[in-house]
Amino acid sequence: MNIKRTDIDALNATLTLEITKEDYQEKVDKILADYRKTANIPGFRKGHIPASLIRKKYRTPVLVEEINKMIQEKLNSYITEEDLNLLGNPLPKAQEEIDWGKDDFIFEFEIGLAPDFEVDVKGKKAITQYEIKTDDKTINDQIDRIRENYGKLIAKKEVAEGDEVTGVFRNDEEEINVDATFSTSKIKGKSNLKKFVGAKVGDTLELKTKGLFNEDHDLASSLKIEHDKAKDLNVSVQFEITEVNEREKAELNQEFYDKLFGPGAVNSEEELKEKLREDAGKQFAQQTDQKLLTDVTESLIENTKFDLPADFLKKWIANNGENELTEEEAAAEYERSEKGLRYQLIESNIVKNNEDLQLKFEDLQDYSRTMIKAQMAQYGHTDATDEEVDQVVARIMSNQEEVKRMSEQLQNEKMLKFFKENAKLKKKELTYEEFIKEAYDA
C-alpha cells in the first residue's frame, strides 16, 4: 500500500492511498475460507459449500471491511511516523460510487495542519494582577452578615427601616408570580423605601421594577429571572406583604464562635477577625488568580497571530458530530469555538517548549494524594495512613473522568504559576468591592 502527501498550502494537504490486490488478497481469502467452514446456507452441508458461492455472497462486505481497517491503520501510522500535527481528523474526499469488483483502489483524504508560530508570553502591554485588601471594613461587614445569618427573627406586623420583608411579586403580563424575601436595606431611593416603611402584613404595594433595588442581581433574585433581563426590566408589579421580621443579630460570645469554627478554635473578637481575614485572603486569591488566568489567556489569543485552515475545520465540524450540520450551522459552530481552539494551540506550544509544564503520571498521583489528604482533614480525619490515602488515590486514577478533571486543574495551576513568573504584570491592590467593579464592570 502506498501513501502520498500533496501540500496545497502551509495549512492544507491531501493524502492519497493506493491499494492493490496484493495488499488485501491473502487476508480476504483467509476470511472467506473460514466462512466456508462455518457458514449455514440452505441446501448445502456445513463445510461443503462451493467456494465460488461463498465468494459471490461474502467477498464484497469482507473486502470493504478489510480495506477500511487497512486505511485507518495506514493513516494512523503515517501521521505518527511523519509527526504530523493535525487539526481534526482526515476527511475522505468525495468520489464516484466505488466499484468493489475492481482489484485496485485509490482513496484521497483532506487534512488540516496546525500552524507554526511563536508565543511571546512576556508581551508588550502589562496585565493587571489584582490583590484584594482584607481591610477592616470588609471584615466588619462580613461579621455583621454572619451575625445576621445566625441571629433571631422577631415577627412584626408593620414594616420598619432595616426589617426583612416576605411577600409575593405579581405581574400577569410578564407572568410574574413569585415569593421573595429581602431586607428593606436593599431598596433603592427614599420614595421606594417610603412605600415599605409603615406598611402592614396583608398590604399590597404598587412598585416599579426599574430602580427598585440598589443592585440588579437583587431584582433578578427576587423575581427569579436572568440577570440580563432584570437589568432592563421596567414594568409595574404588585407586592403583597405576607410576613415582616426584624432580624436581631447574634451576640459575639463563645457560643457564637464555637458554632462557626468548632469548640475552642476562636476565643475572642480579635481572633474571629484574624480567622476571617485569613479565610477571606484564600477566597480572594482564588478569584484574583482566576481573573489573571482569564486576562492572560485573552491577551495571548489577541496578540499571538497565526492562520487556521478555517474551510477545512468548518467541513470537519459539519461531518464529525452526532448529526451532520449544514454549512451555515458549521460556520456558526466554528465561530463559537475558534478562540478556544486558538488558546489550545497556544497552550500546547508553551507546554511543548517548557518541560516543567508537561504533566506526568507521577504529578497526577501526587496532586491527587494532596487533595485527598486535604479533604480528609476537612472532615477531621487527620491521621489517615499512607495505605488508606493510596487506596483512594488508586480508585481516582482508575476513573477516566476524574483523571481528566484533575489533569485540567493541575495544568491550570501550572500555567498560572508560569504566567506569574514570566508574563509582564503590574500589581494593583484594592478592596473587594473595588475589585468586583473594576474587574467585572459591575
Side-chain angles (χ1 to χ4, degrees):
M1 183 192 306
N2 293 322
I3 185 167
K4 181 177 69 173
R5 169 180 162 185
T6 304
D7 290 332
I8 299 170
D9 54 39
L11 300 174
N12 296 274
T14 59
L15 298 179
T16 304
L17 281 77
E18 297 179 354
I19 300 176
T20 65
K21 187 175 182 178
E22 289 73 21
D23 295 321
Y24 61 80
Q25 188 65 52
E26 184 178 346
K27 182 70 173 176
V28 170
D29 285 346
K30 183 180 183 307
I31 294 173
L32 292 176
D34 290 340
Y35 274 22
R36 189 184 179 200
K37 296 174 186 176
T38 59
N40 287 312
I41 296 180
F44 297 95
R45 284 186 298 150
K46 186 180 288 189
H48 290 78
I49 303 170
S52 59
L53 183 57
I54 291 292
R55 185 174 185 81
K56 182 178 179 181
K57 187 175 179 64
Y58 295 112
R59 178 187 178 276
T60 297
V62 169
L63 179 62
V64 171
E65 183 176 353
E66 287 307 308
I67 285 183
N68 281 332
K69 286 181 184 177
M70 292 171 65
I71 289 173
Q72 198 58 55
E73 289 171 2
K74 187 63 176 179
L75 285 174
N76 290 340
S77 63
Y78 180 82
I79 291 167
T80 301
E81 289 164 7
E82 296 295 316
D83 195 24
L84 297 182
N85 191 3
L86 301 188
L87 298 179
N89 299 317
L91 283 176
K93 292 188 73 172
Q95 57 180 314
E96 295 179 6
E97 188 173 345
I98 300 171
D99 180 4
W100 294 104
K102 297 192 305 181
D103 290 335
D104 301 333
F105 305 91
I106 294 177
F107 300 93
E108 287 188 307
F109 291 83
E110 299 176 62
I111 56 173
L113 301 167
D116 290 325
F117 59 91
E118 293 184 359
V119 181
D120 180 12
V121 176
K122 181 71 71 178
K124 295 179 181 179
K125 186 178 178 182
I127 296 169
T128 302
Q129 182 180 10
Y130 294 102
E131 290 184 359
I132 299 175
K133 296 182 292 187
T134 50
D135 58 342
D136 290 341
K137 182 181 182 304
T138 300
I139 298 303
N140 289 332
D141 287 348
Q142 187 176 2
I143 290 174
D144 281 342
R145 286 194 297 272
I146 296 172
R147 289 180 65 193
E148 285 181 356
N149 290 339
Y150 280 82
K152 293 189 298 183
L153 287 178
I154 301 172
K156 300 174 63 179
K157 293 183 178 180
E158 184 175 308
V159 181
E161 194 169 338
D163 283 347
E164 196 172 273
V165 182
T166 298
V168 183
F169 279 107
R170 292 189 180 92
N171 177 298
D172 293 338
E173 289 183 7
E174 294 290 330
E175 297 183 345
I176 295 172
N177 190 338
V178 292
D179 296 325
T181 298
F182 51 87
S183 170
T184 55
S185 63
K186 294 184 177 182
I187 297 299
K188 185 176 183 178
K190 292 181 180 179
S191 58
N192 282 326
L193 184 60
K194 189 176 179 181
K195 293 179 181 179
F196 282 88
V197 174
K200 297 179 175 58
V201 173
D203 287 352
T204 297
L205 310 182
E206 297 290 336
L207 306 167
K208 282 278 192 182
T209 57
K210 190 71 173 177
L212 178 59
F213 288 96
N214 290 316
E215 305 291 343
D216 290 332
H217 66 79
D218 287 323
L219 179 64
S221 175
S222 295
L223 299 184
K224 296 177 177 57
I225 58 177
E226 296 294 328
H227 184 274
D228 289 344
K229 181 177 180 180
K231 195 173 182 179
D232 300 318
L233 188 65
N234 185 12
V235 298
S236 297
V237 289
Q238 292 182 324
F239 181 71
E240 181 187 352
I241 300 173
T242 58
E243 190 177 329
V244 179
N245 290 289
E246 179 184 349
R247 188 173 284 274
E248 186 179 89
K249 294 179 182 178
E251 291 185 28
L252 291 175
N253 54 30
Q254 194 60 49
E255 181 183 359
F256 176 69
Y257 304 144
D258 290 348
K259 276 183 182 178
L260 289 179
F261 303 107
V266 169
N267 300 290
S268 67
E269 185 176 348
E270 284 307 309
E271 288 184 16
L272 171 64
K273 289 182 177 181
E274 198 54 42
K275 176 66 174 170
L276 292 177
R277 201 181 302 275
E278 178 187 334
D279 291 346
K282 292 177 183 177
Q283 292 174 4
F284 292 159
Q286 289 177 350
Q287 287 183 269
T288 54
D289 281 349
Q290 185 56 54
K291 176 62 177 168
L292 177 61
L293 190 59
T294 299
D295 289 347
V296 173
T297 298
E298 291 289 339
S299 176
L300 287 172
I301 292 171
E302 182 179 348
N303 296 301
T304 307
K305 305 298 184 184
F306 54 83
D307 292 327
L308 291 170
D311 290 340
F312 169 83
L313 288 171
K314 291 172 188 176
K315 192 183 297 185
W316 180 77
I317 289 170
N319 292 280
N320 279 271
E322 288 185 10
N323 300 308
E324 191 170 328
L325 303 180
T326 65
E327 285 187 21
E328 292 76 15
E329 290 171 335
E333 181 60 32
Y334 174 75
E335 291 297 323
R336 285 192 291 270
S337 59
E338 183 184 357
K339 282 180 69 173
L341 173 58
R342 286 184 177 277
Y343 183 67
Q344 285 178 18
L345 292 171
I346 292 168
E347 185 180 77
S348 296
N349 183 296
I350 295 172
V351 171
K352 182 180 178 181
N353 291 302
N354 294 275
E355 190 175 344
D356 290 346
L357 296 176
Q358 296 167 17
L359 292 185
K360 302 179 180 67
F361 185 74
E362 295 77 15
D363 295 335
L364 288 174
Q365 281 185 314
D366 292 342
Y367 186 66
S368 176
R369 191 173 286 110
T370 301
M371 286 175 54
I372 295 305
K373 286 182 177 179
Q375 289 174 0
M376 286 181 167
Q378 279 184 338
Y379 292 99
H381 193 7
T382 56
D383 56 350
T385 65
D386 289 341
E387 184 179 358
E388 287 176 319
V389 174
D390 287 342
Q391 285 176 352
V392 179
V393 170
R395 287 200 298 272
I396 290 175
M397 298 302 289
S398 66
N399 185 317
Q400 285 189 335
E401 286 299 317
E402 279 296 308
V403 170
K404 180 183 177 184
R405 182 184 62 81
M406 204 162 48
S407 298
E408 290 172 353
Q409 286 182 349
L410 180 55
Q411 189 70 72
N412 280 342
E413 288 186 17
K414 283 177 172 282
M415 294 303 294
L416 178 65
K417 183 174 182 291
F418 176 81
F419 291 144
K420 284 182 177 180
E421 294 171 351
N422 295 278
K424 187 176 182 180
L425 306 175
K426 57 179 181 181
K427 293 189 177 181
K428 184 170 185 178
E429 190 178 59
L430 28 59
T431 65
Y432 181 70
E433 287 76 12
E434 291 169 338
F435 168 72
I436 293 298
K437 187 172 183 179
E438 181 170 326
Y440 300 106
D441 256 345

